[in-house]
Amino acid sequence: MTTFSVSSLYQWPRHCTPKAREIVLNIINSSKTPLATKDIYNLAIKPARANTPAPHAGEEIRSMRYLKTVVLRNLAAQNCVEKVRTQGAFTAWLWRPKQAPPASPTKRKVMTSTLPGSTELTPAAVGVGEDWSHLNNRRQRARKMKVERDLQRMLEVQKMQRKAVLQH
């Protein structure tokens, strides 16, 4: 008795293949400026078109719809690329490599000398410099306030620990 699977009905895989990810990521990373989806598609199928007589036969990026809904969506979900909006004569959405968020500097310098009997924590321990781009705007604002509050508490506790160690 043979087993039947729905995936066997499809001619191509419905998920993002590693080869498709690699092709699109190389195209976006090699470009100095953000690219439109149409430009990415044209660059992705250009090498394969010369070898195959039928369009889209044997290509990793088989259609514009596959590129938009599967590959680019997968790359955006994994924070490899980001979609940016351009302003000009008309509005366009372009794709560019995801840039690492700049590390936010701390407001106060943490003393680096460790006194015996005290534990020194870094600002990163309470969340300074973390990436919160996956949160919505309201939660990003709330997280920023919570981290600032926790950082102040941490600095106060460390200050009290230093005083206690120096008094003994």
Side-chain angles (χ1 to χ4, degrees), residues 5-151:
S5 81
V6 175
S7 63
S8 64
L9 294 176
Y10 296 105
Q11 186 175 3
W12 295 293
R14 298 179 67 198
H15 60 279
C16 183
T17 62
K19 182 78 172 163
R21 286 185 85 246
E22 180 185 344
I23 290 169
V24 173
L25 204 52
N26 286 339
I27 290 170
I28 293 173
N29 286 334
S30 66
S31 174
K32 304 241 185 263
T33 60
L35 294 170
T37 308
K38 185 176 182 179
D39 297 331
I40 296 169
Y41 179 72
N42 288 335
L43 290 169
I45 64 170
K46 187 180 280 187
R49 276 215 176 139
N51 300 337
T52 57
H56 314 293
E59 295 177 12
E60 288 296 324
I61 310 297
R62 58 186 174 267
S63 67
M64 180 75 83
R65 182 176 179 179
Y66 176 74
L67 174 66
K68 283 183 180 180
T69 61
V70 178
V71 179
L72 288 173
R73 190 177 289 172
N74 180 276
L75 289 172
Q78 294 184 355
N79 287 330
C80 297
V81 297
E82 62 184 348
K83 197 174 188 180
V84 293
R85 185 177 180 190
T86 61
Q87 295 288 355
F90 59 93
T91 302
W93 289 95
L94 304 175
W95 294 93
R96 70 174 180 201
K98 180 80 170 186
Q99 298 169 347
S104 57
T106 58
K107 293 183 181 178
R108 291 188 185 176
K109 235 183 186 179
V110 177
M111 291 182 63
T112 56
S113 64
T114 306
L115 298 172
S118 68
T119 56
E120 283 290 321
L121 294 175
T122 62
V126 293
V128 174
E130 290 290 320
D131 178 29
W132 301 316
S133 61
H134 64 282
L135 299 175
N136 64 27
N137 290 337
R138 179 183 58 81
R139 289 188 173 153
Q140 284 180 12
R141 283 191 305 270
R143 186 69 54 95
K144 181 180 175 187
M145 291 187 301
K146 287 178 183 178
V147 167
E148 287 174 359
R149 180 195 65 208
D150 292 345
L151 180 63

